Amino acid sequence: MANSYKEITKELQEIAAEVFAEHEIKHLVGFGRGEFSGLTEPVFLKNPEEAERLIFQDDAAPMLSKYLLKYKPDLQAVVAKPCDSRALAYYISEGKISRDNLVIIGINGCPGIEGNTACQECDTRNPVIADYTVGEEMSQQELEAELEGVKYLLEDMTPAERKEHYSREFSRCTQCYACRDACPVCYCDHCYVESNQPEWLEEGSSADKDMIFHLMRTMHMPGRCVNCGACEMACPEGIEMRSMTTHLYHRAKELYNYRPGISPEQPTLFSDFDKEDSEPGFL
Amino acid sequence: MATAQKEKQAQQKEFDPKIIAFLCNWCSYAAADLAGSSRLQYPSNIRTIRIPCTGRLNPLLVIKALNKGADGILVSGCHPGDCHYIDGNYYARRRFTMLKDLLEFSGVEPERLNFTWCSAAEGRRFAEIVRKVVERVESVGPWQGFLSEPDVVAEKEAGEIEDGEFL
């Protein structure tokens, strides 16, 4: 059973105080009620008295792992949804952040985020790495029972139907790059979209340029995308783009038995190879 | 009548595909050379780009080539295990499998995306591959872009928005 938001919030506040007492952390990154917006936003807690600000709700969509990179030389604590914990494991596997600098409060049996389609096909409901956990762990059988018969987005469509679908969806894209900014595993200092030497994306916006942007963005994603759905949640135009990365996520699982961020020790998809890798569709 | 006939002829004119071939310097490029110096015939539809290794080929370049109007892509490198840089093509293989998957998923015909291995001694095989690739690309016709036709047309028809429409 997934845990309720209330229980998780209560336990989070208790554990936060514990974390402050046991570790000398710079700050604790978690979710809190925004002072002006009233929405659930990332909050940086500096002392144990603030622990009651922590909440976990069905609109806790931002991925907190990305906020940690800025302060990576310091010891930080973070409230990690299971997808966040996978992103963190991925950071560690890439040497992006040190495990010693992290205190991870994992959320067991994550009840999911409202409106995020990725949560319906989520295959990680317990954190992969954590120092503290809240809530009850979800058993493997239970997870498998929930996932039974679940199909990933657009799996059943024909390529021609998908082409039409993407033509329609990406015609709304304004190239604001919110999907890139929200993505926990998109963290290059110099992104290809802003590069003008070489110029991957030409200036100006048109339907086909938007499509190129999304294809190129997706091509950076296989072996990185943890299938958290943050890109889609961030999109101001409500464009359905997750199906592309999700497809590659599932293909990498089928072909190479590879799921990003499953353990901090595993090499990344493209930095590793097997001499026996299959060659589907090669001449 | 003469003009009508000419128009008809122009329509019937065979589709001449433009295929960008990314060839590895150490094998496929040499194979193309060998095919040439052995006077083997193969279609002239490929435009060769010499790359140091298939592992060097950024997948984005393939997307870009298609975007710029290439009808098909051919990437050819050394046979797995024979890479000049020991394991470059093993890395490339994973990347291309994923690239191919992504493009096919989003509606690009699989016939346009051709990946293969060809050693420096296989001039004959290279000529065969090119013939096969051209055949495959011809079978799916000219490349229409990553978007489906009606939407592109709709956007072009909509054109610039008049100032009045904002008010």
Short mmCIF file of all heavy atoms in Angstrom, two decimals, chain A residues 162-164 166-167 199-200 202 207-208 211-212 215 219 243 247-248 251 256 269-270 272-275 277 279-283, chain B residues 58 60 64 67-68 80 87 90-91 93-94 97-102 104-107 115-117 133 145-148 151 155:
data_model
loop_
_atom_site.label_atom_id
_atom_site.label_comp_id
_atom_site.label_asym_id
_atom_site.label_seq_id
_atom_site.Cartn_x
_atom_site.Cartn_y
_atom_site.Cartn_z
N ARG A 162 1.94 8.36 -34.31
CA ARG A 162 2.78 9.10 -33.37
C ARG A 162 3.34 10.35 -34.03
O ARG A 162 3.45 11.40 -33.41
CB ARG A 162 3.91 8.21 -32.86
CG ARG A 162 3.47 7.30 -31.74
CD ARG A 162 4.65 6.67 -31.07
NE ARG A 162 5.31 5.73 -31.94
CZ ARG A 162 5.19 4.42 -31.89
NH1 ARG A 162 4.42 3.88 -30.99
NH2 ARG A 162 5.81 3.64 -32.73
N LYS A 163 3.71 10.22 -35.29
CA LYS A 163 4.26 11.37 -36.01
C LYS A 163 3.22 12.49 -36.02
O LYS A 163 3.54 13.65 -35.76
CB LYS A 163 4.58 10.94 -37.45
CG LYS A 163 5.37 11.95 -38.23
CD LYS A 163 5.83 11.36 -39.54
CE LYS A 163 6.64 12.34 -40.33
NZ LYS A 163 7.23 11.76 -41.53
N GLU A 164 1.98 12.11 -36.27
CA GLU A 164 0.91 13.10 -36.27
C GLU A 164 0.73 13.69 -34.88
O GLU A 164 0.57 14.90 -34.72
CB GLU A 164 -0.38 12.39 -36.70
CG GLU A 164 -1.30 13.26 -37.50
CD GLU A 164 -2.30 12.39 -38.22
OE1 GLU A 164 -1.97 11.84 -39.29
OE2 GLU A 164 -3.39 12.23 -37.67
N TYR A 166 2.95 13.95 -32.47
CA TYR A 166 4.04 14.88 -32.12
C TYR A 166 3.94 16.17 -32.93
O TYR A 166 4.26 17.24 -32.42
CB TYR A 166 5.41 14.21 -32.33
CG TYR A 166 5.69 13.13 -31.32
CD1 TYR A 166 6.12 11.87 -31.70
CD2 TYR A 166 5.52 13.38 -29.96
CE1 TYR A 166 6.36 10.88 -30.77
CE2 TYR A 166 5.76 12.40 -29.02
CZ TYR A 166 6.18 11.15 -29.43
OH TYR A 166 6.41 10.18 -28.51
N SER A 167 3.51 16.06 -34.18
CA SER A 167 3.37 17.28 -34.98
C SER A 167 2.39 18.22 -34.31
O SER A 167 2.61 19.43 -34.24
CB SER A 167 2.84 16.95 -36.38
OG SER A 167 3.69 16.05 -37.02
N GLU A 199 26.41 25.15 -34.08
CA GLU A 199 25.05 25.61 -33.87
C GLU A 199 24.09 24.44 -34.10
O GLU A 199 23.74 24.14 -35.24
CB GLU A 199 24.74 26.76 -34.83
CG GLU A 199 23.45 27.46 -34.53
CD GLU A 199 23.14 28.55 -35.55
OE1 GLU A 199 23.38 28.32 -36.74
OE2 GLU A 199 22.65 29.62 -35.14
N TRP A 200 23.72 23.77 -33.03
CA TRP A 200 22.83 22.61 -33.18
C TRP A 200 21.43 23.05 -33.52
O TRP A 200 20.75 22.44 -34.33
CB TRP A 200 22.82 21.78 -31.91
CG TRP A 200 24.12 21.12 -31.63
CD1 TRP A 200 24.98 21.42 -30.62
CD2 TRP A 200 24.75 20.06 -32.38
NE1 TRP A 200 26.08 20.62 -30.70
CE2 TRP A 200 25.96 19.78 -31.75
CE3 TRP A 200 24.38 19.34 -33.50
CZ2 TRP A 200 26.83 18.79 -32.23
CZ3 TRP A 200 25.23 18.36 -33.97
CH2 TRP A 200 26.44 18.09 -33.34
N GLU A 202 19.07 26.11 -34.84
CA GLU A 202 19.12 27.43 -35.47
C GLU A 202 18.17 28.38 -34.76
O GLU A 202 17.21 27.95 -34.14
CB GLU A 202 18.75 27.30 -36.94
CG GLU A 202 19.88 26.68 -37.73
CD GLU A 202 19.39 25.99 -38.98
OE1 GLU A 202 18.36 26.41 -39.52
OE2 GLU A 202 20.05 25.02 -39.39
N ALA A 207 7.56 24.99 -36.29
CA ALA A 207 7.14 23.65 -35.85
C ALA A 207 8.26 22.63 -36.02
O ALA A 207 8.52 21.83 -35.14
CB ALA A 207 5.90 23.22 -36.60
N ASP A 208 8.96 22.69 -37.15
CA ASP A 208 9.98 21.65 -37.34
C ASP A 208 11.21 21.90 -36.47
O ASP A 208 11.86 20.96 -36.02
CB ASP A 208 10.33 21.45 -38.82
CG ASP A 208 10.84 22.70 -39.48
OD1 ASP A 208 10.43 23.79 -39.03
OD2 ASP A 208 11.63 22.59 -40.43
N MET A 211 10.44 20.47 -33.17
CA MET A 211 10.57 19.01 -33.22
C MET A 211 12.04 18.60 -33.12
O MET A 211 12.39 17.67 -32.39
CB MET A 211 9.97 18.50 -34.53
CG MET A 211 10.01 17.01 -34.70
SD MET A 211 8.82 16.21 -33.63
CE MET A 211 9.25 14.50 -33.86
N ILE A 212 12.92 19.34 -33.81
CA ILE A 212 14.35 19.05 -33.75
C ILE A 212 14.86 19.22 -32.32
O ILE A 212 15.60 18.41 -31.80
CB ILE A 212 15.15 19.99 -34.70
CG1 ILE A 212 14.71 19.80 -36.13
CG2 ILE A 212 16.64 19.80 -34.56
CD1 ILE A 212 15.00 18.44 -36.69
N LEU A 215 13.72 16.23 -30.37
CA LEU A 215 14.44 15.01 -30.75
C LEU A 215 15.85 15.03 -30.17
O LEU A 215 16.34 14.04 -29.64
CB LEU A 215 14.52 14.88 -32.27
CG LEU A 215 13.27 14.35 -32.96
CD1 LEU A 215 13.45 14.40 -34.47
CD2 LEU A 215 12.96 12.93 -32.53
N MET A 219 17.47 12.65 -27.39
CA MET A 219 18.64 11.84 -27.69
C MET A 219 19.71 11.94 -26.60
O MET A 219 20.60 11.11 -26.52
CB MET A 219 19.20 12.25 -29.06
CG MET A 219 20.03 11.19 -29.75
SD MET A 219 19.33 9.56 -29.68
CE MET A 219 20.72 8.62 -29.11
N SER A 243 6.52 10.55 -23.66
CA SER A 243 6.45 9.24 -24.34
C SER A 243 7.75 8.90 -25.06
O SER A 243 8.13 7.75 -25.15
CB SER A 243 5.29 9.23 -25.31
OG SER A 243 5.34 10.36 -26.14
N HIS A 247 9.88 5.73 -23.97
CA HIS A 247 10.11 4.63 -24.92
C HIS A 247 11.56 4.17 -24.85
O HIS A 247 11.84 2.97 -24.77
CB HIS A 247 9.78 5.10 -26.33
CG HIS A 247 10.14 4.11 -27.38
ND1 HIS A 247 9.48 2.91 -27.51
CD2 HIS A 247 11.13 4.09 -28.32
CE1 HIS A 247 10.03 2.21 -28.50
NE2 HIS A 247 11.04 2.91 -29.00
N LEU A 248 12.49 5.13 -24.83
CA LEU A 248 13.90 4.76 -24.77
C LEU A 248 14.24 4.12 -23.43
O LEU A 248 15.07 3.22 -23.37
CB LEU A 248 14.78 5.99 -25.02
CG LEU A 248 14.66 6.58 -26.43
CD1 LEU A 248 15.57 7.77 -26.57
CD2 LEU A 248 14.99 5.55 -27.48
N ARG A 251 13.14 0.62 -23.81
CA ARG A 251 13.99 -0.10 -24.77
C ARG A 251 15.34 -0.45 -24.16
O ARG A 251 15.87 -1.53 -24.36
CB ARG A 251 14.18 0.73 -26.05
CG ARG A 251 12.98 0.74 -26.93
CD ARG A 251 12.66 -0.64 -27.47
NE ARG A 251 13.55 -1.02 -28.55
CZ ARG A 251 13.65 -2.25 -29.04
NH1 ARG A 251 12.91 -3.21 -28.54
NH2 ARG A 251 14.47 -2.51 -30.03
N TYR A 256 19.34 -3.90 -22.94
CA TYR A 256 20.58 -3.96 -22.17
C TYR A 256 20.34 -4.25 -20.70
O TYR A 256 21.27 -4.20 -19.91
CB TYR A 256 21.35 -2.64 -22.32
CG TYR A 256 21.49 -2.21 -23.75
CD1 TYR A 256 20.90 -1.03 -24.21
CD2 TYR A 256 22.20 -2.98 -24.66
CE1 TYR A 256 21.01 -0.64 -25.52
CE2 TYR A 256 22.31 -2.60 -25.98
CZ TYR A 256 21.72 -1.43 -26.40
OH TYR A 256 21.84 -1.05 -27.71
N LEU A 269 24.78 3.98 -19.21
CA LEU A 269 24.46 3.18 -20.41
C LEU A 269 25.50 3.36 -21.52
O LEU A 269 26.00 2.40 -22.09
CB LEU A 269 23.08 3.56 -20.94
CG LEU A 269 22.61 2.83 -22.20
CD1 LEU A 269 22.36 1.38 -21.92
CD2 LEU A 269 21.38 3.47 -22.79
N PHE A 270 25.84 4.62 -21.80
CA PHE A 270 26.72 4.87 -22.94
C PHE A 270 28.20 4.85 -22.58
O PHE A 270 29.05 5.05 -23.44
CB PHE A 270 26.36 6.22 -23.59
CG PHE A 270 25.06 6.17 -24.35
CD1 PHE A 270 24.33 7.33 -24.57
CD2 PHE A 270 24.58 4.98 -24.86
CE1 PHE A 270 23.14 7.29 -25.28
CE2 PHE A 270 23.40 4.93 -25.57
CZ PHE A 270 22.68 6.09 -25.78
N ASP A 272 29.44 2.24 -21.18
CA ASP A 272 29.64 0.81 -20.96
C ASP A 272 29.18 0.10 -22.23
O ASP A 272 28.42 0.65 -23.02
CB ASP A 272 28.78 0.37 -19.77
CG ASP A 272 29.11 -1.04 -19.33
OD1 ASP A 272 30.24 -1.47 -19.57
OD2 ASP A 272 28.24 -1.68 -18.73
N PHE A 273 29.68 -1.12 -22.45
CA PHE A 273 29.16 -1.89 -23.58
C PHE A 273 29.34 -3.36 -23.28
O PHE A 273 30.10 -3.75 -22.38
CB PHE A 273 29.87 -1.52 -24.88
CG PHE A 273 31.35 -1.81 -24.87
CD1 PHE A 273 31.83 -3.09 -25.18
CD2 PHE A 273 32.26 -0.82 -24.55
CE1 PHE A 273 33.18 -3.35 -25.17
CE2 PHE A 273 33.62 -1.09 -24.53
CZ PHE A 273 34.08 -2.36 -24.85
N ASP A 274 28.64 -4.16 -24.03
CA ASP A 274 28.78 -5.60 -23.93
C ASP A 274 29.11 -6.05 -25.34
O ASP A 274 28.47 -5.61 -26.30
CB ASP A 274 27.45 -6.20 -23.44
CG ASP A 274 27.58 -7.69 -23.20
OD1 ASP A 274 28.54 -8.29 -23.73
OD2 ASP A 274 26.72 -8.24 -22.51
N LYS A 275 30.11 -6.90 -25.48
CA LYS A 275 30.49 -7.33 -26.83
C LYS A 275 29.35 -8.07 -27.52
O LYS A 275 29.33 -8.18 -28.73
CB LYS A 275 31.75 -8.19 -26.78
CG LYS A 275 32.94 -7.34 -26.40
CD LYS A 275 34.24 -8.04 -26.52
CE LYS A 275 35.36 -7.03 -26.27
NZ LYS A 275 36.64 -7.60 -26.02
N ASP A 277 26.17 -7.21 -27.34
CA ASP A 277 24.98 -6.38 -27.54
C ASP A 277 24.28 -6.71 -28.85
O ASP A 277 24.94 -6.98 -29.86
CB ASP A 277 25.39 -4.89 -27.60
CG ASP A 277 25.55 -4.28 -26.22
OD1 ASP A 277 25.06 -4.90 -25.27
OD2 ASP A 277 26.17 -3.22 -26.11
N GLU A 279 22.01 -6.11 -32.27
CA GLU A 279 22.01 -5.05 -33.30
C GLU A 279 20.68 -5.06 -34.02
O GLU A 279 20.61 -5.42 -35.19
CB GLU A 279 23.14 -5.31 -34.30
CG GLU A 279 24.50 -5.40 -33.67
CD GLU A 279 25.57 -5.76 -34.69
OE1 GLU A 279 25.26 -6.05 -35.85
OE2 GLU A 279 26.75 -5.74 -34.29
N PRO A 280 19.60 -4.63 -33.36
CA PRO A 280 18.30 -4.71 -34.02
C PRO A 280 18.23 -3.76 -35.21
O PRO A 280 18.54 -2.58 -35.09
CB PRO A 280 17.31 -4.29 -32.93
CG PRO A 280 18.13 -3.54 -31.95
CD PRO A 280 19.52 -4.06 -32.02
N GLY A 281 17.88 -4.28 -36.36
CA GLY A 281 17.68 -3.43 -37.53
C GLY A 281 18.93 -3.02 -38.26
O GLY A 281 18.88 -2.24 -39.19
N PHE A 282 20.10 -3.54 -37.86
CA PHE A 282 21.33 -3.20 -38.58
C PHE A 282 21.37 -3.99 -39.89
O PHE A 282 20.85 -5.09 -39.97
CB PHE A 282 22.57 -3.53 -37.74
CG PHE A 282 22.90 -2.50 -36.70
CD1 PHE A 282 21.90 -1.96 -35.89
CD2 PHE A 282 24.20 -2.05 -36.53
CE1 PHE A 282 22.21 -1.01 -34.93
CE2 PHE A 282 24.51 -1.09 -35.56
CZ PHE A 282 23.51 -0.58 -34.77
N LEU A 283 22.01 -3.41 -40.90
CA LEU A 283 22.07 -4.10 -42.20
C LEU A 283 23.08 -5.24 -42.15
O LEU A 283 24.11 -5.12 -41.52
CB LEU A 283 22.51 -3.12 -43.29
CG LEU A 283 21.49 -2.06 -43.70
CD1 LEU A 283 22.07 -1.26 -44.87
CD2 LEU A 283 20.20 -2.70 -44.14
N ASN B 58 28.43 12.07 -33.45
CA ASN B 58 27.40 12.53 -32.53
C ASN B 58 26.03 12.20 -33.13
O ASN B 58 25.76 12.57 -34.27
CB ASN B 58 27.57 14.05 -32.36
CG ASN B 58 26.73 14.59 -31.25
OD1 ASN B 58 25.68 14.05 -30.94
ND2 ASN B 58 27.18 15.66 -30.65
N LEU B 60 23.36 13.54 -32.80
CA LEU B 60 22.64 14.74 -33.20
C LEU B 60 22.94 15.10 -34.66
O LEU B 60 22.12 15.70 -35.34
CB LEU B 60 23.00 15.93 -32.31
CG LEU B 60 22.81 15.81 -30.80
CD1 LEU B 60 22.88 17.18 -30.16
CD2 LEU B 60 21.51 15.14 -30.43
N LYS B 64 20.37 16.13 -37.51
CA LYS B 64 20.59 17.37 -38.25
C LYS B 64 20.63 17.11 -39.77
O LYS B 64 20.07 17.89 -40.54
CB LYS B 64 21.92 17.99 -37.79
CG LYS B 64 22.12 19.39 -38.29
CD LYS B 64 22.26 20.36 -37.16
CE LYS B 64 22.48 21.74 -37.73
NZ LYS B 64 22.18 22.81 -36.84
N ASN B 67 17.24 16.71 -40.92
CA ASN B 67 16.58 18.01 -40.87
C ASN B 67 16.95 18.86 -42.08
O ASN B 67 16.14 19.62 -42.59
CB ASN B 67 16.99 18.73 -39.58
CG ASN B 67 16.31 20.05 -39.41
OD1 ASN B 67 15.16 20.20 -39.80
ND2 ASN B 67 17.01 21.00 -38.82
N LYS B 68 18.19 18.72 -42.54
CA LYS B 68 18.65 19.53 -43.67
C LYS B 68 18.21 18.95 -45.01
O LYS B 68 18.59 19.47 -46.05
CB LYS B 68 20.17 19.64 -43.64
CG LYS B 68 20.68 20.50 -42.50
CD LYS B 68 20.45 21.96 -42.79
CE LYS B 68 20.97 22.83 -41.66
NZ LYS B 68 20.49 24.21 -41.80
N PRO B 80 32.46 -5.07 -35.30
CA PRO B 80 32.70 -5.08 -33.86
C PRO B 80 33.92 -5.94 -33.54
O PRO B 80 34.06 -7.05 -34.05
CB PRO B 80 31.42 -5.71 -33.31
CG PRO B 80 30.38 -5.39 -34.31
CD PRO B 80 31.08 -5.41 -35.64
N ASP B 87 37.59 0.04 -29.00
CA ASP B 87 36.19 -0.25 -28.67
C ASP B 87 35.22 0.86 -29.08
O ASP B 87 34.09 0.89 -28.63
CB ASP B 87 36.03 -0.57 -27.18
CG ASP B 87 36.74 0.45 -26.31
OD1 ASP B 87 37.09 1.52 -26.84
OD2 ASP B 87 36.96 0.17 -25.12
N TYR B 90 31.84 -0.30 -30.35
CA TYR B 90 30.93 -0.91 -29.36
C TYR B 90 30.06 0.17 -28.71
O TYR B 90 28.88 -0.03 -28.47
CB TYR B 90 31.72 -1.64 -28.27
CG TYR B 90 32.31 -2.96 -28.69
CD1 TYR B 90 33.67 -3.21 -28.57
CD2 TYR B 90 31.49 -3.97 -29.20
CE1 TYR B 90 34.21 -4.42 -28.94
CE2 TYR B 90 32.03 -5.18 -29.57
CZ TYR B 90 33.38 -5.41 -29.43
OH TYR B 90 33.91 -6.60 -29.80
N TYR B 91 30.71 1.32 -28.41
CA TYR B 91 29.94 2.43 -27.84
C TYR B 91 28.94 2.94 -28.86
O TYR B 91 27.80 3.23 -28.55
CB TYR B 91 30.87 3.57 -27.42
CG TYR B 91 31.78 3.24 -26.25
CD1 TYR B 91 33.15 3.11 -26.42
CD2 TYR B 91 31.26 3.07 -24.99
CE1 TYR B 91 33.98 2.80 -25.36
CE2 TYR B 91 32.08 2.76 -23.91
CZ TYR B 91 33.44 2.63 -24.10
OH TYR B 91 34.24 2.33 -23.05
N ARG B 93 27.54 1.40 -31.24
CA ARG B 93 26.44 0.48 -31.49
C ARG B 93 25.26 0.75 -30.55
O ARG B 93 24.11 0.79 -30.98
CB ARG B 93 26.94 -0.95 -31.30
CG ARG B 93 25.90 -1.99 -31.57
CD ARG B 93 26.51 -3.33 -31.79
NE ARG B 93 27.22 -3.80 -30.61
CZ ARG B 93 27.86 -4.98 -30.55
NH1 ARG B 93 27.86 -5.76 -31.60
NH2 ARG B 93 28.48 -5.35 -29.46
N ARG B 94 25.57 0.97 -29.27
CA ARG B 94 24.49 1.27 -28.33
C ARG B 94 23.81 2.58 -28.68
O ARG B 94 22.60 2.70 -28.64
CB ARG B 94 25.04 1.37 -26.90
CG ARG B 94 25.29 0.04 -26.27
CD ARG B 94 25.41 0.14 -24.78
NE ARG B 94 25.34 -1.19 -24.23
CZ ARG B 94 25.30 -1.47 -22.93
NH1 ARG B 94 25.32 -0.48 -22.06
NH2 ARG B 94 25.23 -2.69 -22.50
N THR B 97 21.64 2.22 -31.78
CA THR B 97 20.43 1.45 -31.53
C THR B 97 19.39 2.34 -30.89
O THR B 97 18.22 2.33 -31.28
CB THR B 97 20.75 0.26 -30.60
OG1 THR B 97 21.86 -0.44 -31.13
CG2 THR B 97 19.58 -0.68 -30.48
N MET B 98 19.83 3.17 -29.94
CA MET B 98 18.90 4.07 -29.26
C MET B 98 18.40 5.16 -30.21
O MET B 98 17.22 5.49 -30.22
CB MET B 98 19.59 4.71 -28.05
CG MET B 98 19.75 3.78 -26.88
SD MET B 98 18.17 3.46 -26.08
CE MET B 98 18.09 1.71 -26.10
N LEU B 99 19.31 5.69 -31.02
CA LEU B 99 18.91 6.73 -31.97
C LEU B 99 17.88 6.20 -32.96
O LEU B 99 16.87 6.82 -33.24
CB LEU B 99 20.15 7.23 -32.73
CG LEU B 99 19.86 8.23 -33.85
CD1 LEU B 99 19.39 9.55 -33.28
CD2 LEU B 99 21.07 8.45 -34.73
N LYS B 100 18.16 5.02 -33.47
CA LYS B 100 17.26 4.39 -34.43
C LYS B 100 15.89 4.16 -33.80
O LYS B 100 14.86 4.45 -34.41
CB LYS B 100 17.89 3.05 -34.85
CG LYS B 100 17.40 2.53 -36.18
CD LYS B 100 18.29 1.36 -36.61
CE LYS B 100 17.54 0.37 -37.46
NZ LYS B 100 16.97 0.94 -38.67
N ASP B 101 15.93 3.70 -32.55
CA ASP B 101 14.68 3.45 -31.83
C ASP B 101 13.88 4.73 -31.68
O ASP B 101 12.67 4.74 -31.89
CB ASP B 101 15.01 2.89 -30.44
CG ASP B 101 14.60 1.46 -30.33
OD1 ASP B 101 13.45 1.18 -30.72
OD2 ASP B 101 15.38 0.64 -29.87
N LEU B 102 14.57 5.79 -31.27
CA LEU B 102 13.88 7.06 -31.05
C LEU B 102 13.26 7.57 -32.34
O LEU B 102 12.10 7.94 -32.38
CB LEU B 102 14.87 8.10 -30.51
CG LEU B 102 14.35 9.54 -30.51
CD1 LEU B 102 13.21 9.70 -29.53
CD2 LEU B 102 15.45 10.52 -30.16
N GLU B 104 12.56 5.98 -35.13
CA GLU B 104 11.49 5.13 -35.64
C GLU B 104 10.23 5.29 -34.81
O GLU B 104 9.13 5.28 -35.34
CB GLU B 104 11.95 3.66 -35.66
CG GLU B 104 12.92 3.39 -36.77
CD GLU B 104 13.52 2.00 -36.69
OE1 GLU B 104 12.96 1.14 -35.99
OE2 GLU B 104 14.55 1.78 -37.34
N PHE B 105 10.42 5.48 -33.51
CA PHE B 105 9.27 5.68 -32.63
C PHE B 105 8.52 6.95 -32.99
O PHE B 105 7.31 7.00 -32.99
CB PHE B 105 9.75 5.76 -31.17
CG PHE B 105 8.66 5.87 -30.15
CD1 PHE B 105 7.94 4.75 -29.78
CD2 PHE B 105 8.35 7.08 -29.55
CE1 PHE B 105 6.93 4.84 -28.83
CE2 PHE B 105 7.35 7.17 -28.60
CZ PHE B 105 6.64 6.05 -28.24
N SER B 106 9.28 7.99 -33.37
CA SER B 106 8.62 9.27 -33.65
C SER B 106 8.24 9.41 -35.12
O SER B 106 7.91 10.49 -35.56
CB SER B 106 9.47 10.43 -33.17
OG SER B 106 10.79 10.27 -33.60
N GLY B 107 8.31 8.33 -35.88
CA GLY B 107 7.70 8.35 -37.20
C GLY B 107 8.63 8.35 -38.40
O GLY B 107 8.16 8.46 -39.52
N PHE B 115 22.46 1.37 -40.58
CA PHE B 115 23.72 1.22 -39.87
C PHE B 115 24.31 -0.12 -40.25
O PHE B 115 23.59 -1.11 -40.33
CB PHE B 115 23.49 1.28 -38.36
CG PHE B 115 22.89 2.59 -37.91
CD1 PHE B 115 21.61 2.65 -37.41
CD2 PHE B 115 23.62 3.75 -38.03
CE1 PHE B 115 21.06 3.86 -37.02
CE2 PHE B 115 23.07 4.96 -37.64
CZ PHE B 115 21.80 5.02 -37.14
N THR B 116 25.60 -0.13 -40.50
CA THR B 116 26.21 -1.40 -40.86
C THR B 116 27.70 -1.38 -40.57
O THR B 116 28.27 -0.35 -40.20
CB THR B 116 25.94 -1.72 -42.34
OG1 THR B 116 26.34 -3.04 -42.60
CG2 THR B 116 26.69 -0.77 -43.25
N TRP B 117 28.32 -2.53 -40.74
CA TRP B 117 29.76 -2.67 -40.56
C TRP B 117 30.36 -3.13 -41.88
O TRP B 117 29.78 -3.94 -42.59
CB TRP B 117 30.10 -3.69 -39.48
CG TRP B 117 29.24 -3.62 -38.25
CD1 TRP B 117 28.42 -4.60 -37.78
CD2 TRP B 117 29.14 -2.55 -37.31
NE1 TRP B 117 27.82 -4.20 -36.62
CE2 TRP B 117 28.25 -2.95 -36.30
CE3 TRP B 117 29.73 -1.28 -37.22
CZ2 TRP B 117 27.90 -2.15 -35.23
CZ3 TRP B 117 29.39 -0.48 -36.14
CH2 TRP B 117 28.50 -0.91 -35.18
N VAL B 133 21.00 0.14 -49.77
CA VAL B 133 20.51 1.32 -49.06
C VAL B 133 19.70 2.21 -50.01
O VAL B 133 18.63 2.70 -49.65
CB VAL B 133 21.69 2.11 -48.44
CG1 VAL B 133 21.26 3.48 -47.98
CG2 VAL B 133 22.30 1.33 -47.29
N GLY B 145 10.25 15.39 -43.91
CA GLY B 145 10.49 16.08 -42.65
C GLY B 145 9.94 15.31 -41.47
O GLY B 145 9.24 14.31 -41.63
N PHE B 146 10.29 15.79 -40.27
CA PHE B 146 9.93 15.06 -39.06
C PHE B 146 8.46 15.20 -38.70
O PHE B 146 7.95 14.47 -37.88
CB PHE B 146 10.78 15.55 -37.88
CG PHE B 146 12.20 15.09 -37.94
CD1 PHE B 146 13.22 15.96 -38.29
CD2 PHE B 146 12.51 13.77 -37.65
CE1 PHE B 146 14.53 15.53 -38.34
CE2 PHE B 146 13.83 13.34 -37.69
CZ PHE B 146 14.83 14.21 -38.05
N LEU B 147 7.80 16.18 -39.31
CA LEU B 147 6.40 16.41 -38.95
C LEU B 147 5.50 15.88 -40.05
O LEU B 147 5.89 15.83 -41.21
CB LEU B 147 6.16 17.90 -38.76
CG LEU B 147 7.02 18.57 -37.70
CD1 LEU B 147 6.81 20.06 -37.71
CD2 LEU B 147 6.70 18.00 -36.34
N SER B 148 4.29 15.53 -39.69
CA SER B 148 3.38 15.02 -40.70
C SER B 148 2.84 16.20 -41.51
O SER B 148 2.63 17.30 -41.00
CB SER B 148 2.27 14.20 -40.08
OG SER B 148 1.48 15.01 -39.27
N ASP B 151 -0.08 19.19 -40.79
CA ASP B 151 0.16 20.21 -39.77
C ASP B 151 1.13 21.27 -40.25
O ASP B 151 0.98 22.45 -39.95
CB ASP B 151 0.70 19.54 -38.50
CG ASP B 151 -0.32 18.59 -37.92
OD1 ASP B 151 -1.13 19.05 -37.13
OD2 ASP B 151 -0.31 17.41 -38.32
N GLU B 155 0.29 25.21 -40.68
CA GLU B 155 1.04 26.31 -40.09
C GLU B 155 1.48 27.31 -41.16
O GLU B 155 1.43 28.51 -40.95
CB GLU B 155 2.27 25.79 -39.35
CG GLU B 155 2.96 26.90 -38.61
CD GLU B 155 4.01 26.40 -37.62
OE1 GLU B 155 5.14 26.24 -38.06
OE2 GLU B 155 3.66 26.21 -36.45
#
